[in-house]
Amino acid sequence: MKNLTIGKQINLGFAALLLILLILGIISILQMSASRNRSSLLSREVAPFTVRVGNLVIYLDEFRLNERVFGITGSDENLKKAQDTQKKAEDFFQEISKTVSNSEWLSDAEKIQQRLQKLIDQYSQIVGQASTSWNRIAGLQRDLLQKAEETISETNQL
């Protein structure tokens, strides 16, 4: 370095700076490309899956609401609504399951899939138990009303 003139030292310094700048530019371009690929993965797989899971939660909430209304009223109409929303949630869950099994990125979500299936099964059992209970209550009400009518008719005959 001591043998180089000041002009050559300055030129060498600028050349070193340009080389560092070129290396940084190449690294930046590679990082932007990798970032674009990751964002593409997010927009292609993660975002639509997140929307579908949100829709599944809406179906499950609707099912829970209809199941509770049926539990309170015991009407056949509300039982049908609960069963219909249960069917919608199960169908939608099957659609999501296919999406998960077909996606490399989402294949790790099997535990979530199993938990959701368990929740759907539990709600199905709840609706079945509630239906059975309300049918028994309705039978007891009919028996009670029949006995009351018989008692009233016997009282009127006296």
Side-chain angles (χ1 to χ4, degrees), residues 29-149:
I29 289 171
L30 292 174
Q31 288 298 322
M32 286 190 296
S33 175
S35 177
R36 184 181 65 230
N37 291 339
R38 285 191 296 269
S39 67
S40 173
L41 172 71
L42 284 173
S43 66
R44 246 188 4 258
E45 295 198 27
V46 177
F49 183 72
T50 303
V51 169
R52 286 183 170 182
V53 168
N55 289 339
L56 180 62
V57 169
I58 290 170
Y59 284 133
L60 289 174
D61 286 344
E62 183 181 349
F63 169 66
R64 283 187 5 214
L65 175 66
N66 287 331
E67 180 269 328
R68 286 180 181 159
V69 169
F70 168 70
I72 292 169
T73 63
S75 74
D76 291 336
E77 179 184 337
N78 290 327
L79 174 62
K80 175 111 174 73
K81 281 183 183 179
Q83 290 170 337
D84 289 346
T85 54
Q86 174 190 358
K87 178 74 173 132
K88 276 197 273 185
E90 287 174 348
D91 292 345
F92 200 71
F93 177 76
Q94 293 304 322
E95 182 182 326
I96 289 176
S97 297
K98 289 176 188 173
T99 302
V100 168
S101 62
N102 292 337
S103 171
E104 253 182 62
W105 185 84
L106 297 172
S107 62
D108 293 336
E110 277 188 45
K111 290 180 184 175
I112 296 171
Q113 179 184 1
Q114 291 169 354
R115 288 177 61 198
L116 287 173
Q117 184 63 51
K118 186 176 178 181
L119 284 173
I120 288 174
D121 293 342
Q122 287 174 348
Y123 281 120
S124 299
Q125 290 174 358
I126 290 170
V127 168
Q129 291 170 355
S131 175
T132 303
S133 298
W134 280 105
N135 288 336
R136 287 181 186 160
I137 290 171
L140 291 172
Q141 280 180 325
R142 281 191 298 271
D143 293 345
L144 185 61
L145 286 174
Q146 185 179 5
K147 293 289 183 187
E149 287 174 2

